[in-house]
């Protein structure tokens, strides 16, 4: 049947009929809120390129966590800024490290909140790379041992989910085996499976103080043009024991999100990264875009592409807007 007897506009006529036929919905249940935790008392260092986000010491973090829980956001993703960086990332797997302390404090404050921890060494290395460096090269296999130690200390502190974001080969299997050997069989792994070497991480590196001191991350993070390889990365992580897989960034990689969902049918998270946040925030501040409408549209697009979960710095605003 074609026009004039068939008319698509019939089912767009009223808010009611549009509501009934909406294919994709966004819910607070889909959201994960990233937080940056730092040592000290009453610290709240705003991140200039990420308005509304800040490095928080544990007391202030707990105030934030209470708000997050009250809003009904189910999960937080923690990043740590250590007091001390070195060539072995020792602060990353210190049982008294900043993330480990924060996890314990959050679990005391809000036991039902799902606590996810980023497992990566870049914030803890004096050179800012995600692995052990020797003669200017990022070494894979020795890095796995440090990542495994880090994941164990996070899970022992009470983290529900560990999220390796380093992009070393074999890290998911190494972490799964290490957790299981320690009896931490219930700690889940959300793998940053298809993580691209993206320019959209710029603001985050200021927030986490994790920019590489030399070179770039292109020998471990993925080459942005490669969608087929992204699916292979995800399939490998599933073989190795990932419980949730991730595509990152989100908006420039919606095709990858779609392909991964179709190929795997696995729980899929998309990380709407700092640069995606910064660009819409900046345009909104200039009065060039309507922040609320653009963010709702962008996040709905990420879900329509196939994401089940969205990691976003807008999580708190989104809950209010969805209200
Ligand atoms: C750590 C890590 C990064 C992000 C999350 N975990 C930065 C990077 O790989 O350089 C980026 C998050 C964001 O931009 O919002 N490896």
């Amino acid at each position: 049947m074609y026009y004039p007897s068939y008319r698509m506009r019939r089912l767009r006529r009223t808010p009611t009929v549009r509501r009934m036929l909406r294919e994709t919905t966004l819910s607070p249940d889909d959201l994960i809120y990233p937080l940056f935790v730092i040592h000290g008392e009453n610290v709240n260092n705003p991140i200039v390129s990420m308005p509304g986000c800040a490095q928080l010491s544990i007391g202030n973090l707990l105030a934030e966590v209470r708000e997050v829980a009250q809003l009904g956001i189910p999960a937080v993703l923690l990043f740590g800024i250590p007091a001390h960086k070195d060539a072995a990332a020792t602060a990353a797997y210190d049982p008294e490290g900043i993330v480990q302390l924060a996890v314990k404090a959050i679990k005391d404050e809000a036991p039902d909140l799902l606590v996810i921890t980023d497992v990566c060494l870049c914030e803890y290395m004096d050179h800012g790379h995600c692995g052990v460096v020797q003669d200017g090269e990022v070494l894979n296999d020795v890095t796995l041992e440090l990542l495994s130690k880090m994941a164990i200390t996070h899970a022992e502190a009470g983290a529900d989910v560990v999220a390796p974001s380093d992009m070393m080969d074999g890290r998911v299997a190494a972490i799964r085996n290490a957790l299981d050997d320690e009896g931490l069989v219930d700690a889940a792994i959300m793998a940053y499976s298809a993580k691209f070497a993206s320019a959209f991480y710029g603001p985050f590196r200021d927030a986490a103080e994790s920019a590489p001191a030399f070179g770039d991350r292109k020998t471990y993070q993925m080459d942005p043009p490669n969608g087929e390889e992204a699916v292979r990365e995800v399939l490998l992580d599933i073989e190795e024991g990932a419980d949730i897989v991730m595509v990152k960034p989100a908006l420039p990689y919606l095709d990858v999100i779609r392909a991964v969902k179709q190929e795997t049918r696995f729980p899929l998270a998309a990380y709407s990264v700092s640069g995606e946040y910064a660009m819409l925030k900046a345009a909104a501040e200039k009065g060039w875009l309507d922040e609320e409408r653009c963010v709702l549209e962008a996040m709905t697009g990420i879900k329509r592409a196939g994401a089940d979960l969205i990691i976003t710095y807008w999580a708190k605003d989104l809950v209010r807007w969805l209200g």
Side-chain angles (χ1 to χ4, degrees), residues 32-45:
I32 299 171
Y33 188 51
L35 288 167
F36 301 95
V37 61
I38 190 165
H39 290 281
E41 285 289 319
N42 205 17
V43 183
N44 181 332
N45 297 333

Side-chain angles (χ1 to χ4, degrees), residues 120 122 165 195 201 204-205 217 221 248 273-274 313:
C120 191
C122 56
S165 72
K195 177 174 177 179
Y201 307 150
F204 173 92
R205 290 181 189 169
R217 304 209 201 283
Q221 297 181 350
K248 174 183 175 190
V273 302
S274 57
Y313 304 99

